[in-house]
Amino acid sequence: MKANAGKRKIFDAVDLLTEDTSAQTTEVKAENGVEQIKIDHIQAFHDHPFHLYEGERLQDMVQSIKEHGVLNPVIVRKLDKGYEMLSGHNRANAAKLAGLTEVPAIVKADLPDEEAYVYVIETNLMQRSFNDLMPSEKAAVMAAHYDKVCCQGKRNDIIRELKILNGEGPDDTCCHNGNKLKSLDVIASEYGFSSRNAARYLRLNYLIQPFKNLMDENKIALLAAVDVSYLTEVEQKMLWNIVERQGLKVKPVYAEKLRKESGTLTEEKMAEILEALQVKHSEGNAGVSLKLPKEICNKYFEGMNSKQMASVVEQALAAWFEGKAVQSV
């Protein structure tokens, strides 16, 4: 699978409406069986790395399911209680919105995590090209292919099954590029990255979810996100608390400084470092930049532009200093 390859066939109901799936799925159905399972009995795959459809794409899927039902079964893993979704998060979500309580499902029993994750990754790559994925999704795909499980024989069997379900002719290649993915250089070449950028994307998997979301929303630079990924999970949660509380944008210079201090950080020390970096001095007090906490901005400056806010701050400071002068007389 080359990064610039065209989109593969969508592995969901809305794009299968024009196809006759009965012949495509006969072999797999005969082997695995399909049963109706209550949607409420299926939980999302743990640490699912892909975003659910939203907006028009979701509404189109809901409408098609209302009219035609779920044409292709989801794939689930049997748990002690209920099931875990492997392929079909969007179909199940759309089916529920369409008013359905059950979906057709292929059930996998005694499936280890490594093999389950192959289903999750590969079915999403059958839906979209690599270039269509968000940064955190690209990171998850690259990490899965970098891992040794990606070229084991069982993975080939899973991909063959998914291709049959998707109406494609299975092949006998071990990996997308026909070679075992043993090195970062091979991964980088396959996805069109330099080795350095491939390593950076792999680091994104160490971010906690809120920072992954910032990456996907283009609200944090790649280099800053990479530096944040080197913080411990506890330190990342502390940083996120500060970011949320102050409405702070994590700039590369902030992340770089925090990475150097990792292992010694408390929330108080982290706040001190960030505060010191936010206030820049040039020629005495000229050019000082101050950042107000988010709650103060919401309380006193809602609906104002920056010029109006500056005017209010100036008036408040003038009144405060005038009061101080009166008190000193």
Side-chain angles (χ1 to χ4, degrees):
M1 185 272 299
K2 290 291 184 181
N4 59 357
K7 290 184 180 179
R8 301 186 181 188
K9 294 180 182 178
I10 302 299
F11 196 57
D12 57 42
V14 68
D15 290 280
L16 289 170
L17 292 178
T18 59
E19 300 183 38
D20 179 5
T21 61
S22 58
Q24 297 170 3
T25 60
T26 299
E27 178 183 341
V28 178
K29 286 184 180 180
E31 180 181 349
N32 298 284
V34 177
E35 55 187 278
Q36 293 291 324
I37 295 179
K38 290 187 179 299
I39 299 174
D40 289 342
H41 292 175
I42 307 173
Q43 64 186 49
F45 186 78
H46 66 280
D47 199 24
H48 187 240
F50 298 97
H51 295 273
L52 291 177
Y53 296 160
E54 297 178 341
E56 185 177 352
R57 190 171 191 182
L58 173 60
Q59 293 308 314
D60 286 346
M61 182 180 284
V62 171
Q63 186 59 38
S64 71
I65 289 177
K66 284 182 178 179
E67 296 175 3
H68 304 277
V70 178
L71 299 184
N72 218 45
V74 303
I75 302 175
V76 299
R77 174 167 64 161
K78 186 73 174 70
L79 303 176
D80 291 338
K81 292 184 179 180
Y83 304 87
E84 184 177 44
M85 186 70 77
L86 303 181
S87 170
H89 290 79
N90 287 297
R91 272 168 285 162
N93 183 45
K96 192 169 186 177
L97 292 174
L100 275 61
T101 59
E102 296 181 334
V103 288
I106 295 172
V107 181
K108 300 293 181 180
D110 302 320
L111 195 69
D113 284 347
E114 292 83 359
E115 293 175 21
Y117 200 57
V118 173
Y119 279 98
V120 175
I121 294 295
E122 289 298 329
T123 51
N124 273 277
L125 288 181
M126 288 180 180
Q127 295 171 17
R128 297 169 286 176
S129 73
F130 182 78
N131 285 337
D132 290 330
L133 301 178
M134 293 185 177
S136 70
E137 296 172 334
K138 290 180 179 179
V141 168
M142 291 173 67
H145 286 183
Y146 188 66
D147 192 83
K148 63 182 180 180
V149 72
C150 290
C151 281
Q152 292 176 347
K154 188 61 181 177
R155 174 179 178 270
N156 300 331
D157 296 338
I158 292 171
I159 294 176
R160 180 177 181 276
E161 176 190 352
L162 293 174
K163 285 188 174 182
I164 293 172
L165 278 170
N166 203 30
E168 301 176 20
D171 54 49
D172 296 323
T173 57
C174 176
C175 293
H176 292 292
N177 64 354
N179 298 306
K180 291 189 175 183
L181 304 180
K182 290 183 177 179
S183 72
L184 182 61
D185 290 338
V186 175
I187 287 286
S189 175
E190 181 171 355
Y191 293 104
F193 289 109
S194 66
S195 294
R196 178 174 294 182
N197 267 349
R200 287 168 176 163
Y201 267 84
L202 289 173
R203 280 300 315 177
L204 299 182
N205 290 288
Y206 293 91
L207 290 171
I208 62 174
Q209 192 59 48
F211 286 114
K212 288 181 181 179
N213 293 340
L214 287 188
M215 274 295 304
D216 293 340
E217 295 165 6
N218 199 29
K219 292 181 179 179
I220 182 172
L222 175 61
L223 292 182
V226 169
D227 278 333
V228 171
S229 77
Y230 283 94
L231 303 182
T232 67
E233 183 176 345
V234 171
E235 289 171 339
Q236 288 189 49
K237 288 179 178 178
M238 290 190 298
L239 177 58
W240 180 250
N241 288 338
I242 296 172
V243 168
E244 277 262 276
R245 188 166 61 245
Q246 298 186 10
L248 183 69
K249 182 176 181 180
V250 184
K251 299 179 180 180
V253 65
Y254 301 169
E256 182 182 9
K257 177 64 175 176
L258 292 174
R259 175 181 173 180
K260 290 178 180 178
E261 299 291 337
S262 180
T264 67
L265 292 171
T266 62
E267 189 162 342
E268 292 75 16
K269 182 176 180 179
M270 191 177 290
E272 290 175 3
I273 291 173
L274 293 173
E275 183 177 353
L277 290 171
Q278 289 175 62
V279 181
K280 298 179 179 179
H281 295 271
S282 98
E283 296 182 4
N285 289 329
V288 173
S289 175
L290 298 175
K291 190 172 185 68
L292 296 173
K294 186 177 181 179
E295 56 267 24
I296 291 180
C297 291
N298 291 338
K299 184 176 181 180
Y300 296 105
F301 300 107
E302 185 175 1
M304 296 186 186
N305 58 34
S306 58
K307 186 175 182 180
Q308 292 170 324
M309 292 171 64
S311 175
V312 171
V313 170
E314 182 179 4
Q315 293 176 47
L317 288 173
W320 187 83
F321 280 109
E322 183 179 344
K324 292 286 287 184
V326 170
Q327 291 176 14
S328 62
V329 173

